Amino acid sequence: MSFKSAFSLLELVLTLLLLGILLSFGIPNIFNYNKSVCNKALQLQILNLKIALKNELKTNQTINIESLYKHLDMSKSSCYFEKQKGGFIGINEDKKVFFKLKNNILECEHTKSSKLHNSESFCDIF
């Protein structure tokens, strides 16, 4: 008589339960990580734009905002910039922030959709 080793039903249920618990903590962190990466990408592009703006101010008295757009990712995705009249909008999925050039200074304006989960504005990270 030979016995075959196998998992009991209790072992399988406990394994699936533990796996479910671990995934319930891990999946939201993946989504938050993606939003954080997008925020960092937008911040880096704004920093590059500010540096280009500063360099252009050294050489010219007037700024052409169109020439600064080359520093921004304008291709539509979940994380990109979009041209608007008088400036541009940074978009991170459902969060939007509006930037405009006023007196040769790049300003961030608060919008209704720019509130973060901790009641700060999306402008605060820029």
Side-chain angles (χ1 to χ4, degrees), residues 70-121:
K70 66 182 177 188
H71 299 282
L72 303 176
D73 179 14
M74 298 286 189
S75 57
K76 288 204 181 240
S77 64
S78 62
C79 181
Y80 68 102
F81 288 95
E82 187 175 277
K83 291 181 187 179
Q84 290 289 320
K85 186 177 180 182
F88 55 92
I89 293 180
I91 300 171
N92 180 357
E93 292 180 3
D94 60 337
K95 303 288 183 216
K96 295 181 180 180
V97 62
F98 181 70
F99 292 93
K100 69 178 183 177
L101 197 61
K102 187 175 181 181
N103 298 327
N104 293 333
I105 297 173
L106 188 65
E107 292 184 353
C108 179
E109 292 187 353
H110 303 282
T111 61
K112 290 180 183 178
S113 67
S114 67
K115 292 290 181 196
L116 298 174
H117 60 80
N118 55 3
S119 298
E120 290 181 347
S121 170

Side-chain angles (χ1 to χ4, degrees), residues 21-79:
I21 291 171
L22 290 174
L23 286 176
S24 70
F25 288 111
I27 289 175
N29 289 336
I30 290 172
F31 291 119
N32 288 338
Y33 177 76
N34 287 340
K35 285 185 179 182
S36 175
V37 167
C38 178
N39 287 341
K40 294 296 180 192
L42 294 176
Q43 285 175 326
L44 184 60
Q45 291 176 56
I46 291 295
L47 178 63
N48 287 335
L49 186 131
K50 286 180 178 179
I51 291 170
L53 178 65
K54 192 174 185 179
N55 289 336
E56 194 165 323
L57 279 173
K58 286 180 184 177
T59 58
N60 301 330
Q61 294 296 327
T62 59
I63 301 296
N64 180 5
I65 188 107
E66 292 290 326
S67 68
L68 297 175
Y69 286 147
K70 66 182 177 188
H71 299 282
L72 303 176
D73 179 14
M74 298 286 189
S75 57
K76 288 204 181 240
S77 64
S78 62
C79 181

